């Protein structure tokens, strides 16, 4: 089966660079290992024989590619998961014509499929089945500190999976959630919407640094007094204050313009927030909210937006961001109209 590429437009994948690649097993079957833990902090993946073969074949890339091209490839790190695999590798020299990262990963995946056939009962005819789904995802190393973040992310993968299994309700996407007169898609602690004290965090782009600092101090004090803030975290000031609230461990409701994969996409079932948002979700301190798209055309929302910025195209980001703030105000005031 040919590779279904998901590459960055304009990037030359034959040039020297470091990459983090991700592949998933066909139909996301847990063929590569078993998650084991007594507590999430101790979580690790115990490889199956097939998983061990996949790891071994990944390290074979160095020898195989040098033998075929004379170019050096360095394997830096990997993380085996039950139904997917992350690997970090460094193409140290420009590859010859007709070779690229895609061809390297394709050859490795082919070797893994052959190991799959060898490790599967002969009573099952699977020689036309690939171990991994077509294609792969990649990230390209660009900045200082990125490599260490990749390695940390890979090491932490089993813990995050364990937390998702321990707290499924906090990491499940809920469609058509009704919140104070607003239909939304949500992920996180839905009970934050029932908190008796809610307020919208908005911060004009025209505020000075001193004014933003003053608003931040007030918001932190309000949070100490029990207010849960609702924000789209769009302007620089809103982002700064939201970060300060999150770092202090205060709960937040964050509105997203388009925050979740399409319900019929392959990413939907396995979606999880990244980085600090994941940790806040795990602690029950975050609710991510994506308002239903028809809300952006609702008469009262349109009127509120036009009162602030006049008539602008509804597909414009400016319109949608102001509309998010209008929706946040509806949610904070407890308007129960649908």
């Amino acid at each position: 089966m040919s590779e279904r590429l998901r590459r960055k437009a304009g990037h030359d994948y034959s040039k020297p660079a470091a990459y983090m690649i991700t592949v998933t097993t066909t139909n996301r079957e847990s063929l590569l290992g078993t998650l084991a833990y007594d507590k999430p902090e101790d979580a690790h993946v115990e490889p199956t024989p097939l998983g061990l073969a996949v790891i071994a074949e990944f390290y074979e890339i160095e020898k195989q590619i040098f033998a075929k091209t004379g170019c050096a490839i360095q394997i830096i790190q990997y993380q085996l998961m039950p139904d997917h695999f992350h690997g970090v590798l460094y193409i140290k020299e420009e590859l010859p014509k007709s070779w690229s990262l895609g061809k390297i990963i394709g050859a490795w995946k082919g070797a893994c499929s052959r190991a799959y056939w060898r490790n599967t009962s002969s009573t099952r005819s699977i020689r036309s089945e690939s171990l991994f789904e077509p294609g792969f995802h990649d990230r390209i190393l660009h900045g200082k500190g990125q490599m260490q973040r990749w390695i940390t992310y890979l090491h932490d993968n089993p813990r995050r999976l364990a937390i998702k299994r321990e707290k499924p309700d906090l990491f499940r996407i809920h469609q058509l959630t009704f919140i104070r007169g607003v239909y939304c898609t949500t992920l996180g602690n839905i009970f934050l919407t029932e908190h008796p004290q809610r307020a919208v965090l908005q911060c004009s782009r025209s505020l000075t640094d001193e004014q933003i600092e003053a608003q931040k101090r007030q918001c932190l004090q309000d949070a100490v007094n029990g207010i849960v803030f609702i924000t789209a975290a769009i302007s620089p000031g809103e982002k700064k204050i939201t970060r300060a609230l999150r770092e202090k461990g205060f709960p937040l409701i964050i509105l997203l313009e388009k925050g979740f994969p399409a319900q019929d996409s392959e990413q939907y079932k396995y979606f999880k927030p990244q980085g600090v948002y994941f940790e806040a979700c795990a602690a029950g301190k975050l609710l991510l909210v994506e308002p239903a798209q028809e809300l952006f055309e609702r008469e009262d929302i349109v009127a509120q937006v036009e009162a602030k910025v006049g008539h602008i195209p509804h597909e414009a980001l400016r319109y949608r961001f102001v509309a998010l703030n209008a929706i946040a105000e509806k949610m904070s005031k407890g308007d129960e109209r649908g």
Side-chain angles (χ1 to χ4, degrees), residues 12-15 65 68-69 94-107:
D12 187 344
Y13 282 87
S14 67
K15 297 289 187 182
I65 299 305
K68 293 176 180 178
T69 70
E94 182 172 353
L95 297 167
K97 188 176 181 180
S98 82
W99 277 88
S100 67
L101 176 68
K103 188 169 182 177
I104 292 170
I105 300 305

Side-chain angles (χ1 to χ4, degrees), residues 182 255 291 295-296 301 322-332:
V182 175
L255 271 64
L295 276 170
F296 291 89
I301 298 298
V322 177
L324 278 180
N325 284 331
I327 292 167
E329 290 175 13
K330 295 288 182 186
M331 292 172 58
S332 70

Side-chain angles (χ1 to χ4, degrees), residues 211-311:
Q211 289 171 321
I212 291 171
E213 282 298 316
Q215 186 170 344
K216 183 180 79 171
R217 289 193 295 272
Q218 184 60 57
C219 287
L220 288 169
Q221 185 57 55
D222 290 342
V224 169
N225 293 333
I227 288 179
V228 172
F229 282 99
I230 305 170
T231 182
I234 296 166
S235 73
E238 289 164 5
K239 291 177 181 178
K240 184 174 184 178
I241 297 171
T242 298
R243 183 170 59 251
L245 290 165
R246 176 181 46 74
E247 289 174 348
K248 292 291 186 181
F250 294 116
L252 287 162
I253 300 173
I254 296 183
L255 271 64
L256 308 170
E257 195 261 330
K258 288 184 180 177
F260 301 111
Q263 196 169 1
D264 59 354
S265 71
E266 61 178 302
Q267 295 87 13
Y268 181 85
K269 182 178 178 182
Y270 303 99
F271 175 84
K272 62 180 180 295
Q274 297 298 311
V276 294
Y277 276 12
F278 181 94
E279 304 303 334
C281 263
K285 297 294 183 69
L286 181 66
L287 179 67
L288 299 176
V289 177
E290 181 184 313
Q293 292 305 303
E294 54 265 29
L295 276 170
F296 291 89
E297 302 297 330
R298 204 169 80 175
E299 184 178 349
D300 56 333
I301 298 298
V302 172
Q304 193 167 338
V305 173
E306 292 188 348
K308 290 185 176 181
V309 297
H311 181 72

Side-chain angles (χ1 to χ4, degrees), residues 98-311:
S98 82
W99 277 88
S100 67
L101 176 68
K103 188 169 182 177
I104 292 170
I105 300 305
W108 167 66
K109 289 173 64 181
C112 291
S113 287
R114 292 189 288 275
Y116 175 38
W117 302 334
R118 292 193 300 270
N119 279 273
T120 304
S121 171
S122 59
T123 61
R124 183 180 173 200
S125 177
I126 62 154
R127 290 193 64 84
S128 62
E129 297 180 16
S130 297
L131 172 60
F132 294 116
E133 292 278 4
F136 64 97
H137 294 273
D138 73 79
R139 297 181 185 177
I140 307 167
L141 183 69
H142 288 299
K144 184 178 179 180
Q146 188 177 1
M147 178 65 75
Q148 187 55 52
R149 289 194 295 273
W150 282 354
I151 292 171
T152 299
Y153 173 84
L154 265 56
H155 279 312
D156 200 38
N157 241 12
R159 181 188 70 90
R160 292 194 301 273
L161 179 58
I163 289 173
K164 282 190 69 178
R165 292 186 178 180
E166 291 285 306
K167 302 178 179 182
D169 287 343
L170 291 176
F171 291 95
R172 186 178 296 120
I173 298 175
H174 296 274
Q175 298 285 334
L176 294 177
T177 307
F178 187 71
I179 304 174
R180 308 287 170 178
V182 175
Y183 279 103
C184 306
T185 301
T186 61
L187 183 148
N189 185 0
I190 191 64
F191 294 106
L192 293 179
T193 64
E194 301 301 320
H195 195 278
Q197 298 184 77
R198 302 179 307 280
V200 177
L201 166 55
Q202 292 185 31
C203 195
S204 171
R205 293 180 181 272
S206 65
L207 294 186
T208 64
D209 290 344
E210 291 76 12
Q211 289 171 321
I212 291 171
E213 282 298 316
Q215 186 170 344
K216 183 180 79 171
R217 289 193 295 272
Q218 184 60 57
C219 287
L220 288 169
Q221 185 57 55
D222 290 342
V224 169
N225 293 333
I227 288 179
V228 172
F229 282 99
I230 305 170
T231 182
I234 296 166
S235 73
E238 289 164 5
K239 291 177 181 178
K240 184 174 184 178
I241 297 171
T242 298
R243 183 170 59 251
L245 290 165
R246 176 181 46 74
E247 289 174 348
K248 292 291 186 181
F250 294 116
L252 287 162
I253 300 173
I254 296 183
L255 271 64
L256 308 170
E257 195 261 330
K258 288 184 180 177
F260 301 111
Q263 196 169 1
D264 59 354
S265 71
E266 61 178 302
Q267 295 87 13
Y268 181 85
K269 182 178 178 182
Y270 303 99
F271 175 84
K272 62 180 180 295
Q274 297 298 311
V276 294
Y277 276 12
F278 181 94
E279 304 303 334
C281 263
K285 297 294 183 69
L286 181 66
L287 179 67
L288 299 176
V289 177
E290 181 184 313
Q293 292 305 303
E294 54 265 29
L295 276 170
F296 291 89
E297 302 297 330
R298 204 169 80 175
E299 184 178 349
D300 56 333
I301 298 298
V302 172
Q304 193 167 338
V305 173
E306 292 188 348
K308 290 185 176 181
V309 297
H311 181 72

Side-chain angles (χ1 to χ4, degrees), residues 18-139:
Y19 302 93
M20 181 170 75
I21 62 100
T22 302
V23 294
T24 58
T25 58
T26 299
N27 299 321
R28 297 297 292 249
E29 288 191 69
S30 295
L31 300 172
L32 306 181
T34 302
L35 185 70
Y37 63 96
D38 293 319
K39 53 185 180 179
E41 292 76 13
D42 301 327
H44 62 282
V45 175
E46 297 180 350
T48 62
L50 178 58
L52 290 172
V54 166
I55 296 168
E57 292 292 351
F58 190 63
Y59 277 98
E60 278 290 304
I61 288 175
E62 292 183 349
K63 181 171 67 176
Q64 294 293 331
I65 299 305
F66 184 78
K68 293 176 180 178
T69 70
C71 295
I73 305 291
Q74 181 182 355
I75 298 301
I76 296 174
Q77 189 61 261
Y78 75 89
Q79 178 61 62
L80 185 82
M81 299 298 289
D83 62 359
H84 65 280
F85 182 93
H86 298 291
V88 178
L89 71 164
Y90 175 31
I91 298 176
K92 302 177 75 172
E93 302 173 80
E94 182 172 353
L95 297 167
K97 188 176 181 180
S98 82
W99 277 88
S100 67
L101 176 68
K103 188 169 182 177
I104 292 170
I105 300 305
W108 167 66
K109 289 173 64 181
C112 291
S113 287
R114 292 189 288 275
Y116 175 38
W117 302 334
R118 292 193 300 270
N119 279 273
T120 304
S121 171
S122 59
T123 61
R124 183 180 173 200
S125 177
I126 62 154
R127 290 193 64 84
S128 62
E129 297 180 16
S130 297
L131 172 60
F132 294 116
E133 292 278 4
F136 64 97
H137 294 273
D138 73 79
R139 297 181 185 177

